[in-house]
């Protein structure tokens, strides 16, 4: 798999799992992401920067290289234009975790109106990781706006959080979820204030939370930065650009979406957006290392 390009599934079709995540459940890896398998919408005769929502794709793999399409784990709807899953709206950055307490798979995603003004977090649950997921609700976490987001289990306190850009992207928040992972508890920590970051991807390493983010330049690449804290409640400190390799100032022409671990190795997943041809946006999966001082590095590799 050549990093920075589109990838194909085991049927030779484009993998449609943008803004996504890879996670292991049982002995299978699951890749969830935005299915953008349609042309960008034409609005007033011009190609726009959106595709209509199709849903959340689910792919499975035994080895992270051969991916089998399992269908849409969550589907867009066609009836009520105000329903959060309506195709004319926005459904981005879906993430799924397993809730030990309820035995359910829980999905959270950025649910928005077409003009990105609703800025909500949507939640759906399923008994099977392949779905179908049942939509529960979409809301502004603790009344705050939510745009780019991820779903993070914190080993520090055993709680799950939605990590999301809020205050019109000025602040990155950690909004705590209840023990069922389906709603907010009201506990909320501002993690990065006045930093205007998005595309959060987290990992817990050696007693520290690390969070890779991008700047806010829409579909265009910019410099990644990582930040660190021992306690989510204390806020994070921005450290540096973790990328090493060609085009490291523009995150190798990509944007962070998730960090996963496989066989003891951490990897950063990137999207390489093509804003006027979103269905052909590419992917990278790049190794992450930490040195003895805890410095994080994301290494460019031509191939995954
Ligand atoms: C980016 C964001 C993407 C998408 C895009 C829309 O900043 O990371 O997930 O929302 O803007 O322009």
């Amino acid at each position: 798999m050549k990093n920075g390009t589109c990838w194909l599934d085991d049927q030779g079709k484009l993998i449609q799992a943008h803004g996504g995540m890879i996670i292991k459940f049982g002995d299978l890896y699951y890749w969830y992401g935005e299915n953008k398998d349609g042309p960008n919408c034409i609005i007033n005769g011009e190609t726009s920067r959106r595709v209509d929502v199709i849903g959340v794709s689910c792919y499975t793999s035994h080895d992270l290289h051969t991916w089998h399409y399992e269908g849409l784990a969550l589907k867009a709807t066609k009836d009520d234009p105000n329903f959060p899953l309506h195709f004319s709206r926005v459904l981005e950055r879906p993430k799924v975790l397993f809730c030990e307490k309820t035995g359910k798979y829980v999905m959270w995603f950025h649910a928005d109106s077409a003009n990105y003004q609703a800025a909500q977090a949507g939640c759906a649950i399923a008994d099977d990781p392949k779905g179908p997921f049942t939509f529960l609700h979409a809301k502004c976490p603790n009344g705050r706006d939510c745009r780019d987001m991820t779903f993070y289990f914190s080993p520090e306190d055993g709680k799950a959080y939605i990590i999301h850009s809020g205050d019109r992207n000025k602040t990155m928040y950690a909004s705590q979820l209840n023990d069922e992972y389906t709603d907010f508890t009201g506990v909320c920590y501002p993690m990065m204030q006045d930093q205007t970051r998005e595309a959060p991807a987290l990992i817990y390493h050696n007693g520290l939370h690390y969070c890779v983010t991008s700047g806010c330049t829409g579909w265009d690449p910019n410099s990644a930065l990582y930040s660190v804290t021992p306690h989510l409640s204390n806020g994070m400190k921005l450290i540096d650009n973790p990328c090493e390799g060609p085009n490291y100032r523009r995150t190798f022409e990509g944007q962070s979406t998730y960090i996963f671990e496989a066989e003891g190795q951490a990897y950063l997943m990137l999207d390489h957006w093509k804003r006027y041809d979103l269905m052909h946006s590419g992917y990278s999966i790049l190794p992450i290392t930490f040195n003895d001082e805890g410095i994080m590095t994301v290494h460019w590799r031509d191939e995954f």
Side-chain angles (χ1 to χ4, degrees):
M1 293 154 102
K2 198 169 172 319
N3 280 321
T5 68
C6 299
W7 291 346
L8 301 179
D9 68 11
D10 61 354
Q11 305 297 306
K13 295 205 168 124
L14 284 177
I15 293 182
Q16 286 296 335
H18 310 278
M21 58 118 54
I22 290 172
I23 186 165
K24 200 171 191 185
F25 295 129
D27 54 9
L28 270 184
Y29 291 103
Y30 288 77
W31 183 354
Y32 299 94
E34 302 158 31
N35 188 314
K36 292 189 175 304
D37 199 9
N40 280 39
C41 303
I42 307 289
I43 301 175
N44 299 327
E46 307 233 340
T47 304
S48 74
R49 299 175 184 199
R50 70 166 272 120
V51 292
D52 283 338
V53 180
I54 295 169
V56 177
S57 299
C58 175
Y59 292 83
T60 53
S61 174
H62 287 282
D63 59 7
L64 294 169
H65 286 89
T66 305
W67 290 96
H68 182 71
Y69 184 51
E70 302 285 356
L72 293 172
L74 183 69
K75 281 187 193 155
T77 57
K78 290 204 161 71
D79 304 331
D80 175 3
N82 293 316
F83 187 61
L85 300 180
H86 192 258
F87 72 90
S88 64
R89 296 172 62 96
V90 166
L91 193 172
E92 292 178 340
R93 299 187 175 269
K95 306 286 178 291
V96 176
L97 292 181
F98 177 68
C99 179
E100 295 278 351
K101 183 180 170 196
T102 59
K104 303 268 186 202
Y105 296 84
V106 185
M107 180 187 291
W108 280 91
F109 52 91
H110 172 196
D112 219 325
S113 47
N115 61 4
Y116 289 90
Q117 296 307 301
Q120 294 176 322
C123 179
I125 58 169
D127 294 320
D128 187 304
K130 293 171 188 156
F133 280 77
T134 305
F135 176 77
L136 291 186
H137 48 71
K139 50 172 71 178
C140 289
N142 307 302
R144 293 196 175 86
D145 55 334
C146 167
R147 290 190 174 82
D148 278 9
M149 49 77 66
T150 195
F151 189 5
Y152 177 60
F153 175 82
S154 164
E156 182 192 351
D157 58 7
K159 299 277 183 191
Y161 290 82
I162 298 302
I163 312 291
H164 62 99
S165 304
D167 304 338
R168 300 204 152 260
N169 290 345
K170 259 163 63 97
T171 316
M172 184 69 69
Y173 286 103
S175 294
Q176 194 183 72
L177 294 172
N178 61 12
D179 291 339
E180 293 76 32
Y181 297 2
T182 52
D183 212 343
F184 299 97
T185 61
V187 174
C188 176
Y189 307 126
M191 297 202 327
M192 289 167 225
Q193 286 176 293
D194 293 325
Q195 299 302 327
T196 317
R197 309 295 300 168
E198 62 180 8
L202 290 95
I203 184 170
Y204 194 67
H205 176 78
N206 266 353
L208 295 171
H209 304 275
Y210 287 77
C211 182
V212 176
T213 55
S214 75
C216 296
T217 52
W219 300 117
D220 295 331
N222 53 57
S223 287
L225 288 174
Y226 78 96
S227 41
V228 174
T229 186
H231 309 296
L232 281 186
S233 57
N234 283 4
M236 298 192 108
K237 188 176 167 200
L238 283 165
I239 306 290
D240 203 353
N241 180 343
C243 299
E244 208 175 85
N247 257 326
Y248 76 97
R249 294 286 297 271
R250 286 164 57 89
T251 317
F252 319 116
E253 301 297 316
Q255 186 186 30
S256 45
T257 179
Y258 199 71
I259 296 172
F260 70 94
E261 287 179 271
E263 288 168 13
Q265 175 64 56
Y267 296 95
L268 177 67
M269 297 173 71
L270 300 181
D271 293 293
H272 297 267
W273 302 113
K274 289 206 170 140
R275 59 190 156 149
Y276 293 120
D277 179 19
L278 285 162
M279 69 185 285
H280 288 105
S281 299
Y283 308 103
S284 289
I285 298 181
L286 302 172
I288 296 175
T289 56
F290 299 91
N291 75 3
D292 293 344
E293 281 92 54
I295 308 256
M296 175 192 240
T297 307
V298 177
H299 305 264
W300 175 254
R301 297 281 182 268
D302 291 335
E303 300 267 337
F304 168 63

